[in-house]
Amino acid sequence: MILICLPQQPYLAHRPGDHLRPGQAGAQSSSSPRSGSKQQLIEIPLAGDCIHNVRRPDGRRHPSRVFTMDVLLNAAQWVVGKALASVADGVLEAWGATKNLGVNIEALRMELLLVKATLETASYKQVDGPAMQELLGKLRDSALSAEDLLDELDYFRIHDQLHGTYDAADQHAKGGFRDLALNVRHAAKAVGKLTFVSSCYWSAANPTGDSGEDAGQRASCCPWSRARQRPPGNSSSTPNANQEPTLCGGAHREPPMLGFNRVDFSERMRHIVEELEHVRREATQILQSCDRITIPDVSQSRPITTGQSIDPKLYGRDHIMDTIIHDMTKGKYLSNDLTVLPIVGPGGIGKTTLIQHIYRNQQVQNHFQVIIWVCVSLSFNLNKLLEEIKTYIPRVEGEKDGRAEELIEQRLKSKRFLLVLDDIWEFSDTDDWKRLLLPLKTSQAMGSMILVTTRFPKITKMVGTAKHIELQGLESEEFRKLFLAFVFGNEPARSDQYVFLEIGNKIMEKLRGSPLAAKTVGTLLSKDLSLHHWRRVLESKEWETQTDANGIMPALKLSYDHLPFQHQQCFSFSALFPEDHKYSASQLINLWIGLGILQPGARNQTLQLTGSNNLKDLVAWGFFREESAYGYPCYVMHDLLHDLALQVASHECLTVHHSSVRLEEINPNIHHLSIIIDDVDKISLEKLKRQLRKLKASLKVKQLHTLMLFGEVDESFVSILGDLFREANALRVLRLDKISFSVESILHNFSALVHLRYLYLETKCEREMHLLLIISRFYHLRILSLGSWCPNCHLPKELSNLVNMRRFYTLADELHSDIVNVGKLKHLEELMVFRVNKKIEGFEPSQLEHLTELRELGIYNLENIHTKEEAAKTKLGEKIHLEKLTLDWDNERSNTEPGAEAVVLENLQPHRYLQELCIRGHKGSSFPTWLGDKVTVESLHLSGVSWQCLPPLGKMWGLGKVILEHIPAMEEFVIEQSLCKLIRVELVGLGSFGKWVASQDADHMFPLLQVLIIKDCPQLLELPFASQIVYTSDQGQNSDWFPKLQELQIEKCPELLLVAHIPRTETLHSVNISDVKLLDKLEYSTNSFFGGRCLDIAGKDDLQSLDEVVAFSKLAGLEHLYLHKCPALKSKHLLLLTSLKKLMVEGSDGVVVEGSEGDVEWQHPLKHLVVEGEESRAKELTELLTHLPSISELEIIKCEKITQLAVGLDVQQTTSAAAATEVDEKEDDDSGLLLLPSHLSDSLQVLSIESCPELVMVDPTSTFLPARGAAGGGLQALRSLKTLQIYFCPKILSAKSSPSCCPFPSSLQELRVEGVEGMGTLGHLLTAGGQLILLSIGGCPGFFAGWDQELKQQLLNGGKEQELQQLVSPQNGCKLQELYTDDAMGLLSVPICNLLSSSLSILGFFGNQEMECFTKDQEDALHLLVSLEKLMFINLSKLQSLPAGLQKLTNLKELSVYSCPVVRSLPEDGLPKSLQELDVWNCGNTELT
């Protein structure tokens, strides 16, 4: 028996207003899916007291009511607008008419229009209160239901269009009894074919909550039944269709097609219309009694600032303040007529405070004759500003009455003035700024200033005449001082308050240096100095809920309120991404498109362009900051702005993170969810899993429109997420990032996500190819991004069913070439690769005919087009939106037809406004006639063409980029006048290119050029800097060529002489030159990997002097200089490098040689010197060190000619001493003795000596001054030394006076020694007064044995065991924390381990090739190291087992075992419970790894 559900009466559409209300005869009592639960008032932090500006339909703003009210009103208007957009063009309604749903759709459309009108009326009314809020929420929910329903109808419309199905209705049905029969027939058909039911729509058809069994008998109420079979030929090859979906790598089957049920749609539309009408009528009644909104002066909501600061001390801005004051009173602004200096930064960053301190500075007060402070705020009222400025300026004798600007002009005529315009937001008329400046520019005194503060970068561009100053957060130390000042006042924290500082530090990290945040949170903490209060503030971010107008969030929110509604949405939805996320433009814009936020602003404007403009606006308003990551632009958001975005979106957005989510605060109307899984500890991950399990009870998954997963999502989350998202079927945006499991294991109804607009899929599952077939059914999909997934897979031909797709992102552009019948994707904006193949259906040239919305197109394998008719079928000339075009002939083809290829290219003419053109592999003899004549581009790339001459570049006046590659016929580059706009030039593989020629009309040499790249041009002799360039007779050489060059790259041009010295201009920031005359390499960067400016040069034998290639006079800012096989650096050149911090000289003729200055004393503030190579001489280096008083790091590597090292004498002392001794006059000039002058004793902090096999440390007093015994010494004399590294210098300590004494200074904190004999002991380095923190000892046999023996000897000599115990007790002050050694047997003795027991936290045994096991005594000694947190065993080739008793190391957290091939198991007695990480690699038992 089949139970058929029919409507109680046929639904007839009524005129608006005639619908039956609940309770009247014939009215239905069922409700829509979203009305089943009681609506709750949306509670948002900062609600109530915050004022913000809502833009009304006429463009004006008025102050808002309670924040929640405006959010609901705007949200409802947005949703209603989206729903109406579905039926705006009449296409859906016309299709619905063929299914007997036309009147239903029209009724719904009319009701939505009435709701829209009601909401527009509400925007003019003063409405508030819980009742109205609930009604607006209900309207929004009902509108969402309407949007869902219309979206589903449109899905089936597209399906019918694609497949020619007729599931919905008999086209001859006439209504009445036939309609009733039709309903019965379709209901029965749905039951008969029911194999798949979408739970997303179950509640719509099953409001009574029937069980699954009962629901199966009521299948007529579910729209998703299996559709009838598609016609043959429409299916692609897929895996076995009889297998069920499983986890990644398992078998799967193709899910059934979704079927259409007209009865259900009709019923649902009736419910939605009734609900909308009912709520609308109630809202209309309330609005009738509401007054219109009055519009007060919005500027009154902003506090008025003055020149007097309430903060007596300025933290962290002293340098900026001093610089501004100096530039105003003594520096660069003093000679200007009038300077406008903008200071920009987000709210609360300290702009006003900084300017107040400058304004009140006595030096400033004395310098300016008139000082004026005006707080501009939200409204730039020119007349009001002029009046206020006038009141600050004293009257002058004989002034004439007049308008304010006339009086200002008279009074300032001979006076230098300072005008502060604080807090500018916008200009209602951009000319107002120019009018304001008119009377101010008439002052005859030089050096007048206007200081402007603003939140918005766009304001700085409008007003600034000097480079703006952007304030960032305070540096951590200064911010800490400010923060603690607000907490504890001016008094330092007492010892009993230190316990708060750990929590305080965590809070400070979240505030990111914002001074206002320091004030807000510091004041909040100061009210209750208890740990409970401080922890609550930290965990709940309580400062976000502060409603004080001077608090951080209200201050930031004021900027948000100033945005248009569309921009507010763009900003707030960005909170779905993780904090500190580096956004790409595409990530943001695609999300906005997927959510339906963007509305094109002009005719033919794409959603992508609208989104790009919105992003630029948000940057201009300071909500994002543009940066660069890996050479690509990205956008970042300050943490506090991210918190603001989370807050303003909290009524519908939720971000779940192990440290942030509070389930009790989840709003019932959440529609957008992101889950962030960090690489954190197991405890935090378990906490996150518990939160996700609880989330199911409070989150209405059915209504989710957005789901975004960030981070590594492994299989431990599968069951949790699968259970949570079992009913998620209304998704518009889905982002799955780095998942290692089947998509369908967490989204069981993945194939039913028919609403999807944006899908980002980054899966590591290699056997998920069947998903592409499912994705091919998402007809509404606009953005598809597969990330790095399936770069080599083959796309199903059904992918062309995605008729709304605009962007298809893949790791490899080549995947675009796999789209069969791409011509069906008429909205596609990017087709990176289309390969012409006339032999396979779906890849013909005609596929491109109707792709009229393309912005970027690449056509490949054009050798397969032979006639002009075939070429014309691409209709390139009609693609008016096309911006980038690539035309490619395969260079590897065996046969060429020059004549045919010339004809084809001639008929591939694009429209005249094309911006970028690339032509590759064309073997015709000439360029197309349209290039440079009818088509002038901004970027031209020619590669591998066989043209006898180049196109007329001179006709392309807008040309900004030229790339010429592998063009055999090109012998010269003609510099024409029209090329003055070139920004980038690349010349690659031009075997015949040898000269530059300037045309007769050219009076420039690329004045705007920023990038010049030349590679593999063997005939090229010079760059166009040189005098040998070919000029006409009446031309001269312009000395100011390439004035804006930023990047220069030259490779494999062996005959090229680098005439232009580097850097040629101040703008140059990157140079990479290799394999040219004189140089193997020259690399220059202003922002190097090492930080700051860096120059790295490797010379050839012909290089005689560095000034042949380097412009030392322009390198005052250079910080790092590396010289390889170069002539010695002259001292006069070194003195020009005033900012140089590090100098490295390797294999060169010398380090630094004296120049013409002779005996003139000179000094350089160099900090770090590295000398490497056999040619380095001790005498020369000794002399150089006397001129470097600030050296803090010295490295000596592979200097075989340096055989002796002495410390602590000045050169004058050694010279006189050497004269007093009997020295053979025939002795070599350089004795191999390197003398470190005495000033290094106080400056040198790092000393590294490596691979100097003959080097010996000598005592300078015995070597030079035996009779006088002057002060000197070995390494002990370096009393500031903190780090010492000695590698493979076996003899360096062989001459020390006593074998047992410690040869190192007590200041050492890190000591690394390998391959050194006669080390002695560390003595005072490890006992009281010693500072040693890290010790690494290798290849020093007997070192620990001697140390152990010394401790025991003290016991034998003294006879008192208590003295030894005192020496090795933890109270002896030993500070050693890290120890690495290859002598485990020597280290593990009771006295030594007892000495280290309380301090050592990291211990590593490495490189011992003899040790097989640990003895019982060694294990007992190891157990004494109770403070150990990390223990490592590395490269111990014969070690058979780890030491027993490791469980006694109760603080051990990490245990690592690397390359110990004989170790086959962990200790049998177990590991300590404290262990958190076990890392085993390359050991004998594979089970260990």
Side-chain angles (χ1 to χ4, degrees), residues 49-65:
D49 295 334
C50 297
I51 300 296
H52 82 134
N53 302 312
V54 178
R55 293 183 183 267
R56 294 161 58 159
D58 59 1
R60 294 183 295 163
R61 298 188 200 92
H62 58 72
S64 77
R65 282 81 16 128

Side-chain angles (χ1 to χ4, degrees), residues 736-755:
L736 301 179
D737 191 18
K738 300 177 183 178
I739 60 172
S740 56
F741 49 85
S742 167
V743 173
E744 292 165 302
S745 62
I746 62 167
L747 289 167
H748 304 301
N749 291 329
F750 179 72
S751 60
L753 300 182
V754 297
H755 300 285

Side-chain angles (χ1 to χ4, degrees), residues 399-627:
E399 78 174 36
K400 300 178 181 178
D401 291 338
R403 301 191 308 274
E405 54 266 39
E406 294 171 345
L407 294 175
I408 292 171
E409 184 175 341
Q410 293 179 61
R411 297 177 185 181
L412 292 180
K413 187 173 183 179
S414 59
K415 293 183 174 64
R416 181 191 300 124
F417 64 88
L418 168 64
L419 169 61
V420 173
L421 297 175
D422 187 39
D423 198 25
I424 294 183
W425 282 63
E426 66 176 359
F427 299 106
S428 54
D429 185 343
T430 54
D431 289 337
D432 281 352
W433 175 253
K434 298 176 183 178
R435 296 190 188 100
L436 177 66
L437 291 183
L438 285 176
L440 302 176
K441 286 183 175 180
T442 58
S443 174
Q444 299 174 358
M446 305 295 287
S448 291
M449 291 289 303
I450 300 178
L451 297 180
V452 170
T453 70
T454 180
R455 299 178 177 210
F456 309 117
K458 68 173 184 177
I459 296 292
T460 68
K461 296 178 182 179
M462 297 172 64
V463 304
T465 62
K467 181 174 175 57
H468 70 270
I469 295 174
E470 182 176 359
L471 292 190
Q472 304 285 352
L474 296 178
E475 295 295 332
S476 57
E477 190 56 37
E478 289 296 319
F479 183 73
R480 179 183 176 84
K481 293 176 184 177
L482 176 63
F483 181 80
L484 294 179
F486 283 114
V487 176
F488 301 115
N490 295 326
E491 299 296 326
R494 302 189 308 270
S495 58
D496 62 331
Q497 295 172 335
Y498 288 160
V499 68
F500 296 103
L501 298 186
E502 182 179 352
I503 301 174
N505 290 335
K506 294 179 180 179
I507 293 176
M508 282 185 272
E509 288 178 8
K510 297 178 180 293
L511 304 182
R512 296 301 177 97
S514 167
L516 182 56
K519 180 177 182 179
T520 302
V521 182
T523 304
L524 179 64
L525 294 174
S526 68
K527 296 177 180 179
D528 185 356
L529 295 181
S530 69
L531 287 176
H532 174 73
H533 174 64
W534 282 46
R535 287 196 185 103
R536 187 178 73 246
V537 171
L538 170 63
E539 294 170 359
S540 65
K541 290 188 177 181
E542 194 169 325
W543 58 87
E544 294 181 3
T545 65
Q546 300 297 296
T547 57
D548 181 2
N550 295 321
I552 179 62
M553 281 301 159
L556 293 176
K557 188 175 174 295
L558 194 62
S559 298
Y560 167 83
D561 294 337
H562 205 68
L563 295 174
F565 178 63
Q566 186 178 121
H567 291 73
Q568 286 182 344
Q569 287 185 298
C570 290
F571 167 71
S572 61
F573 282 117
S574 303
L576 291 168
F577 288 89
E579 198 172 75
D580 295 324
H581 185 73
K582 291 186 180 297
Y583 304 83
S584 67
S586 61
Q587 283 178 340
L588 289 168
I589 295 171
N590 291 340
L591 174 65
W592 300 339
I593 290 175
L595 293 173
I597 294 173
L598 303 179
Q599 299 298 325
R603 185 181 179 185
N604 293 328
Q605 187 178 61
T606 65
L607 295 178
Q608 201 78 19
L609 181 58
T610 302
S612 180
N613 291 337
N614 286 2
L615 181 55
K616 290 177 182 177
D617 290 341
L618 290 172
V619 171
W621 286 321
F623 289 91
F624 287 99
R625 187 174 69 253
E626 188 170 3
E627 292 184 353

